[in-house]
Amino acid sequence: MSHSTDLPDPDPEQLRLAIERLLDETVDRNEPLHLSADELSVSIPMQFGSDAPQATWRFDGDVTVSVDGVRGPLREWVDLVDSRSTDTK
């Protein structure tokens, strides 16, 4: 997490639950999310792990996100990705 603000780092479990609710709601709604941002920077881990390298995504303008899929716990997806990455090693 970036420490450029005075805000504390979010609780990982609370963040995971918030993402699950957002994805579930978006799948159920079947409508895209629209976001407008001015000079927004987001650090995205390139793999799982606390020391993972991060990519920086920068947004300035409008972004539309569509989610197509089925509802399910984010933990199951993370476990699936982890199992596939260990199978290839």
Side-chain angles (χ1 to χ4, degrees), residues 53-65:
Q54 297 191 357
T56 301
W57 294 2
R58 291 184 176 85
F59 299 96
D60 192 13
D62 297 326
V63 175
T64 300
V65 177

Side-chain angles (χ1 to χ4, degrees), residues 7-78:
L7 299 173
D9 285 345
D11 177 298
E13 180 64 13
Q14 290 298 320
L15 186 57
R16 183 190 63 77
L17 290 171
I19 291 169
E20 275 189 13
R21 282 192 299 265
L22 177 64
L23 290 173
D24 283 349
E25 198 174 292
T26 304
V27 167
D28 287 347
R29 237 181 19 181
N30 201 23
E31 294 177 14
L33 296 173
H34 302 284
L35 167 72
S36 293
D38 294 318
E39 298 181 22
L40 173 67
S41 293
V42 181
S43 294
I44 307 295
M46 297 172 63
Q47 58 191 7
F48 293 101
S50 59
D51 59 347
Q54 297 191 357
T56 301
W57 294 2
R58 291 184 176 85
F59 299 96
D60 192 13
D62 297 326
V63 175
T64 300
V65 177
S66 296
V67 177
D68 185 24
V70 295
R71 293 180 67 180
L74 184 60
R75 168 58 49 212
E76 289 179 12
W77 180 83
V78 171

